[in-house]
Amino acid sequence: MKTLLAAVGVAVGLAVTPVAAQESGGTLVMVVQPEPPNLAPYLSTSGPIGQVASKVYEGLITVGPDFKIMPGLAKSWEVSDDGLTITFHLQEGVKWHDGEPFTSADVQYGIMDVLREIHPRGGSTLKVIESVDTPDDMTAVFHLAEPAPYLMVALNGYESPIVAKHLFEGGNPRENETANKPIGTGPFKFVEWKKGQYVRFDKNEDYWQDGKPYLDRIVVRFIADAATRTAAVESEEVQYGAFGAVPYFDVERLSQLPYIDVTTEGYGYIAPIMQVQFNTEVKPFDDPKVRQAIAYALDRQFVIDNIWFGFGKPATGPISSLFKPTGLYTDEVIDFTVDDRMEKAAALLDEAGYPVGSDGVRFTVTHDITPYGEEWSRLGEYVKQALGQLDIAVDLRYEDVATWLKRVYTDYDYQFSSNFLYGLPDPVLGVHRQFHSNQIRPGTVFVNGMKWSSPRTDELMDAATTETDPEKRAALYKEFQQLVVEASPIVFMHEMEFVTVYNDMVKNLESTGPLGVYTNFADVWMEQ
Amino acid sequence: MPNARLRYVARRIVQAIPILLAIIILNFCLLKLAPGDAVDVLAGEAGSATPEYMEQLRAKFGLDQPLPIQLANYVGRIAVGDFGYSFRHEMPVWDLIVDRLGPTMILMVTTIVLAVGLGILLGLLAAVNLNTWRDSLISVLALVSYATPLFWVGLMLIVVFSINLGWFPTSGMENVAAFNEGWDRVWDIAHHLVLPAITLSLFYLALYTRLMRASMLEQAGMDYVTTARAKGVTEGRITFKHVLRNALLPVVTMAGVQVSAMIGGSVIVETVFGWPGLGQLAFESLFARDLNLLLGIFFLSAVLVLVVNLLVDILYTFLDPRIELS
């Protein structure tokens, strides 16, 4: 991470792209599901908002392959030796879509007054920034309260979009009218939004990267029905859809078509892990042995092959193996995928004091199905069946999203449930929220809903938050992963793979790196 | 007579006010019964939010107030024609609804005209050709289309006519990459309308066909028909002048009831064909707990029901002058 921080951005733009015969022109029709409620990425981190608004808003940096930090609105930066000051040098000649020049004042205002105040994650991610100085129009100096090895990567356009000071100043940023008519610095200008139908972006002729973007126009369509989305891709009315816009079971068939390509690249930034999580305060899951037994009982590969149509990779712990390049990942943890896992599970349950009763059942539990679609229902059925083999009776309960969230994260009125959480590009951002004791916050969703924590893991996370030496940091996270897997407040099932389906006339999607559909598409072009 | 009609309309409108109020209060209470609120959903979709952030949102949405006060605020606003603000969409509810009203009306009117018109015609044909192959064919078709799920019909039409034949677009209300103007746009929308309108009509068409057939047969057995026949009136005249008029009454009643149900019934068709109507908006806002928006749509549907019922009552007096408005 220190090397990332010390990296000084060079030249303008994404120099990694091999120079191909990019062609200018064309309208890219992409499908996003569901339709975003608004286009205010500074108000919400909701996926659909990010997929659409990222074409308009940009961040100081962007994230390249292997989580390399690359120039965005900042062309270069220096980090002081103590890690407490970051000086950003901004790109020259950048204009907002309304013609006003972009300056360091926008960076200062955007970070301090908008993102830190109203962005759902900004309050915690950017809290470490004490002030932003603007010695001149093209320089912004961040002063940090403590070293923050996770900060740089979070300054990308999806996570920390910079908004225009002159449009926000003096009003309530929550009620800014750019929420439905975004104005940014990006390669595409917002034209119109027909609610329920489409959002239209046209090429920004004044874009600061000469010659870009290549596309004339992007139209983002909204189609609620999955089968119809598939049909629209098949009939070439739509050329691009990410995040399972086409359901898994149609992917194989579509990929056979000569003009359709499929990829699971472009999701490294969010690193989602599918999990089964326990309420560790209620019986029988207050006993780590019972939780471990469940971790043994669930067959990860079976779930991937039969429920997620082969998309995914067995997970080992709270940190995704996608973090291998950063050194933060370890697989030296308890292996729950051994051959005699069912015997081990049964033995653990006996040990925990839950022998098979006279009715042939050890205990009865209720599993709350995650209301995110078919796969999750199938998973619930699988859990019922798999645990049935251990003589555990499972009742399934299915509710809608709002009810389920309240049950798990506000009322803690559940025994165990399925879930998936984004790991995000640094454990501080995506992993700590689920395991730190200060994250047991009733009413806050996607935090520590298991009500599990330990003083030692809290300590490890606190230390890793400010540790800038990559090796020491890796050692902290290694112990952390071992402890969490041993305690098993969560069964880490698999690292999820989302699928992007696109027409082969769309080129240069690889330039989007781990951010994938969340990038600004300045480099994407279409065969004419 | 016109005066009596006007007075009748005025009285019905006045009577509608307490009904509307009751509907608002009932809807409000019903919706509040569901656990979780808009802030839970927003935070859930965002994947993260601090408690302070969520508290701020609740305060902004007025969700931190006691329920009776929220209700009073809402009724007060509706009374002055303010439908409130959708915090999810960061837009006034009225703007959102008006945006969707057009597409819904296009789909609904086409469907009603198709379903009622063809339904009456087919029902009439079946009744006139009772127990012949025509009657059997129409009855079987009606039964099949009544029993087939809408979403399946929609998807099959897409598979056959969009993917295999390429005659019609799969979804949407217009070609979004083309941005047509004027007559080109009208033509484009009509082109997009064909499959969803057929899909949604099929179900209702079956209903009206069967209803019309039964109604015709019932009227045909009445004494006045026998009387007319005894007086030597021709069969054609009996059918069109006497039976048809009376047989239409139940069909009109049914159509009146269904116009309002159609906003809800079209959710499936709107979803399958990506049609930007109110049904889908209502569906989405229910799951998002976007109460202001949902109540706005319900209110509008309630008004629609009352208006259509009034129109049906007035239409009765034209069909059967013996019915009086009093």
Side-chain angles (χ1 to χ4, degrees):
Chain A
M1 224 46 197
K2 195 172 188 179
T3 49
L4 287 183
L5 277 168
V8 174
V10 280
V12 177
L14 303 163
V16 283
T17 314
V19 181
Q22 285 99 341
E23 293 171 50
S24 277
T27 297
L28 173 69
V29 182
M30 58 188 273
V31 63
V32 166
Q33 171 58 27
E35 179 171 9
N38 57 56
L39 293 180
Y42 49 86
L43 269 181
S44 169
T45 43
S46 142
I49 296 179
Q51 293 183 49
V52 182
S54 53
K55 313 298 171 269
V56 173
Y57 290 105
E58 294 179 299
L60 286 171
I61 58 104
T62 181
V63 187
D66 288 341
F67 299 100
K68 193 166 174 283
I69 309 289
M70 323 246 300
L73 284 173
K75 61 181 171 189
S76 63
W77 49 88
E78 296 111 32
V79 182
S80 66
D81 289 337
D82 58 6
L84 292 176
T85 312
I86 312 176
T87 307
F88 289 97
H89 303 284
L90 307 181
Q91 306 280 5
E92 314 272 338
V94 180
K95 281 202 174 91
W96 294 100
H97 293 162
D98 62 359
E100 294 289 316
F102 159 78
T103 68
S104 55
D106 295 314
V107 177
Q108 182 195 44
Y109 188 83
I111 296 277
M112 299 305 291
D113 293 298
V114 178
L115 295 176
R116 267 185 50 134
E117 295 301 318
I118 62 168
H119 187 275
R121 279 204 286 261
S124 46
T125 314
L126 307 176
K127 158 180 87 187
V128 69
I129 305 172
E130 287 197 316
S131 64
V132 176
D133 284 349
T134 53
D136 63 65
D137 276 358
M138 290 295 112
T139 312
V141 185
F142 285 27
H143 297 288
L144 311 185
E146 55 185 25
Y150 55 88
L151 180 63
M152 276 308 271
V153 74
L155 294 176
N156 65 78
Y158 159 64
E159 183 86 32
S160 305
I162 301 294
V163 298
K165 182 182 181 182
H166 67 275
L167 295 172
F168 277 74
E169 206 172 20
N172 179 353
R174 249 185 231 299
E175 280 159 18
N176 199 283
E177 60 179 29
T178 59
N180 281 294
K181 299 183 187 80
I183 294 177
T185 57
F188 296 94
K189 284 184 173 181
F190 172 83
V191 180
E192 69 169 334
W193 184 0
K194 285 253 192 231
K195 290 256 180 187
Q197 297 189 66
Y198 62 84
V199 172
R200 172 182 166 183
F201 297 117
D202 281 359
K203 177 181 189 160
N204 175 7
E205 299 287 351
D206 292 329
Y207 191 52
W208 53 272
Q209 296 192 56
D210 278 340
K212 292 179 188 173
Y214 300 107
L215 299 167
D216 281 342
R217 185 176 289 160
I218 295 180
V219 176
V220 186
R221 283 192 60 183
F222 311 113
I223 304 170
D225 187 78
T228 313
R229 287 196 295 277
T230 306
V233 172
E234 193 170 352
S235 68
E236 301 192 78
E237 284 172 47
V238 165
Q239 288 105 32
Y240 177 94
F243 274 102
V246 169
Y248 287 115
F249 51 82
D250 277 330
V251 169
E252 174 65 25
R253 187 178 61 81
L254 279 187
S255 67
Q256 308 287 330
L257 297 171
Y259 52 91
I260 304 273
D261 283 333
V262 164
T263 179
T264 54
E265 300 285 313
Y267 299 97
Y269 183 86
I270 53 167
I273 293 184
M274 200 288 267
Q275 60 187 40
V276 171
Q277 77 175 55
F278 303 105
N279 183 349
T280 62
E281 282 202 331
V282 301
K283 283 195 174 305
F285 299 125
D286 55 343
D287 188 333
K289 286 196 180 113
V290 176
R291 303 197 297 257
Q292 280 185 4
I294 311 292
Y296 276 115
L298 300 178
D299 185 344
R300 289 154 180 75
Q301 196 61 47
F302 179 90
V303 168
I304 295 170
D305 291 342
N306 294 287
I307 300 178
W308 266 269
F309 293 85
F311 292 98
K313 182 173 173 249
T316 55
I319 295 180
S320 164
S321 65
L322 288 166
F323 283 90
K324 250 182 207 153
T326 66
L328 301 182
Y329 167 80
T330 183
D331 56 6
E332 293 169 37
V333 293
I334 303 177
D335 183 5
F336 292 115
T337 59
V338 288
D339 287 338
D340 59 341
R341 53 191 185 79
M342 284 317 245
E343 291 78 31
K344 280 199 157 129
L348 278 165
L349 289 171
D350 290 337
E351 238 177 89
Y354 292 102
V356 183
S358 53
D359 54 352
V361 171
R362 291 177 193 269
F363 52 80
T364 304
V365 281
T366 301
H367 178 80
D368 283 283
I369 293 173
T370 306
Y372 286 158
E374 277 298 293
E375 287 95 13
W376 302 93
S377 301
R378 297 295 90 75
L379 177 76
E381 288 152 16
Y382 168 73
V383 167
K384 185 181 170 86
Q385 200 178 352
L387 298 193
Q389 290 171 18
L390 284 176
D391 304 309
I392 299 171
V394 179
D395 294 328
L396 299 176
R397 178 161 54 197
Y398 189 92
E399 294 166 328
D400 81 336
V401 177
T403 313
W404 173 74
L405 285 173
K406 187 158 187 292
R407 180 180 290 286
V408 173
Y409 290 105
T410 305
D411 301 337
Y412 304 105
D413 177 23
Y414 77 109
Q415 288 177 299
F416 70 136
S417 182
S418 51
N419 208 343
F420 72 99
L421 253 76
Y422 289 175
L424 298 177
D426 192 281
V428 174
L429 307 176
V431 177
H432 289 198
R433 57 177 166 162
Q434 245 193 322
F435 300 99
H436 205 290
S437 47
N438 65 17
Q439 297 292 319
I440 302 175
R441 304 190 293 186
T444 308
V445 296
F446 300 117
V447 290
N448 190 340
M450 301 89 67
K451 287 189 134 184
W452 176 88
S453 60
S454 73
R456 181 62 189 152
T457 49
D458 283 357
E459 239 172 69
L460 290 167
M461 283 184 277
D462 291 339
T465 305
T466 54
E467 180 56 67
T468 49
D469 182 327
E471 272 178 33
K472 286 186 192 156
R473 204 164 183 244
L476 294 170
Y477 278 123
K478 184 174 175 183
E479 191 186 341
F480 167 77
Q481 288 169 77
Q482 289 169 334
L483 289 176
V484 170
V485 171
E486 197 191 332
S488 287
I490 283 175
V491 181
F492 302 98
M493 292 294 290
H494 68 264
E495 297 168 5
M496 296 177 80
E497 286 179 338
F498 290 111
V499 186
T500 303
V501 172
Y502 62 101
N503 197 295
D504 68 359
M505 70 200 288
V506 184
K507 304 290 182 190
N508 212 7
L509 284 173
E510 61 275 17
S511 71
T512 57
L515 273 168
V517 67
Y518 291 136
T519 54
N520 63 18
F521 280 18
D523 294 273
V524 172
W525 57 280
M526 278 171 91
E527 214 162 47
Q528 296 298 305
Chain B
M1 195 67 178
N3 242 344
R5 234 171 231 146
L6 270 181
R7 263 205 307 278
Y8 176 75
V9 169
R11 203 177 65 239
R12 284 281 295 259
I13 289 173
V14 174
Q15 281 171 347
I17 291 172
I19 298 176
L20 280 177
L21 193 68
I23 289 172
I24 292 173
I25 294 171
L26 193 68
N27 281 337
F28 185 90
C29 296
L30 278 177
L31 291 176
K32 280 289 178 189
L33 281 180
D37 62 21
V39 174
D40 284 324
V41 177
L42 281 178
E45 283 172 351
S48 51
T50 61
E52 301 79 43
Y53 174 79
M54 291 174 72
E55 236 164 71
Q56 253 182 327
L57 281 184
R58 287 210 169 86
K60 188 194 169 200
F61 298 178
L63 292 171
D64 53 347
Q65 313 251 3
L67 275 189
I69 296 188
Q70 288 187 40
L71 177 60
N73 285 343
Y74 187 77
V75 174
R77 281 204 311 272
I78 283 282
V80 294
D82 177 5
F83 278 66
Y85 194 78
S86 163
F87 296 103
R88 181 179 172 74
H89 293 271
E90 301 285 333
M91 260 173 104
V93 166
W94 183 245
D95 293 359
L96 276 164
I97 292 181
V98 166
D99 245 18
R100 299 292 186 101
L101 204 56
T104 294
M105 285 300 166
I106 294 176
L107 185 60
M108 260 175 62
V109 170
T110 315
T111 302
I112 290 166
V113 169
L114 261 180
V116 175
L118 275 180
I120 289 174
L121 193 70
L122 288 178
L124 184 73
L125 272 177
V128 170
N129 299 293
L130 189 64
N131 294 333
T132 65
W133 66 270
R134 285 198 194 88
D135 177 30
S136 312
L137 183 71
I138 290 170
S139 297
V140 167
L141 281 182
L143 190 69
V144 168
S145 56
Y146 183 74
T148 316
L150 282 183
F151 76 91
W152 190 83
V153 173
L155 288 176
M156 285 309 113
L157 290 180
I158 290 178
V159 169
V160 174
F161 293 102
S162 300
I163 295 183
N164 290 345
L165 296 171
W167 291 355
F168 298 102
T170 56
S171 55
M173 193 176 82
E174 50 193 312
N175 187 346
V176 292
F179 301 103
N180 292 310
E181 301 285 342
W183 283 109
D184 285 344
R185 181 153 180 244
V186 173
W187 175 247
D188 189 35
I189 292 177
H191 191 208
H192 280 77
L193 180 63
V194 175
L195 295 186
I198 290 178
T199 308
L200 189 55
S201 307
L202 270 183
F203 176 81
Y204 294 103
L205 175 68
L207 217 63
Y208 296 133
T209 304
R210 292 173 64 84
L211 195 64
M212 188 65 193
R213 180 176 177 277
S215 177
M216 285 288 286
L217 293 179
E218 191 194 334
Q219 293 295 330
M222 294 282 202
D223 288 346
Y224 72 86
V225 176
T226 315
T227 311
R229 201 168 277 135
K231 282 163 70 182
V233 181
T234 61
E235 280 304 309
R237 200 174 154 77
I238 290 175
T239 305
F240 290 99
K241 250 334 213 199
H242 299 271
V243 177
L244 180 63
R245 253 180 116 139
N246 285 308
L248 273 178
L249 285 178
V251 176
V252 170
T253 312
M254 194 65 165
V257 173
Q258 273 173 350
V259 165
S260 40
M262 217 173 262
I263 288 192
S266 61
V267 172
I268 293 168
V269 169
E270 286 178 11
T271 305
V272 168
F273 289 97
W275 193 266
L278 275 177
Q280 227 189 103
L281 190 66
F283 188 68
E284 286 165 10
S285 44
L286 174 64
F287 282 99
R289 302 283 194 272
D290 191 345
L291 214 62
N292 279 353
L293 180 53
L294 204 52
L295 284 172
I297 296 171
F298 284 172
F299 181 79
L300 197 79
S301 321
V303 171
L304 195 68
V305 174
L306 292 171
V307 169
V308 170
N309 273 322
L310 184 59
L311 288 178
V312 167
D313 286 350
I314 291 172
L315 193 60
Y316 279 162
T317 64
F318 287 104
L319 281 174
D320 188 345
R322 285 171 305 173
I323 298 171
E324 281 176 18
L325 294 174
S326 59

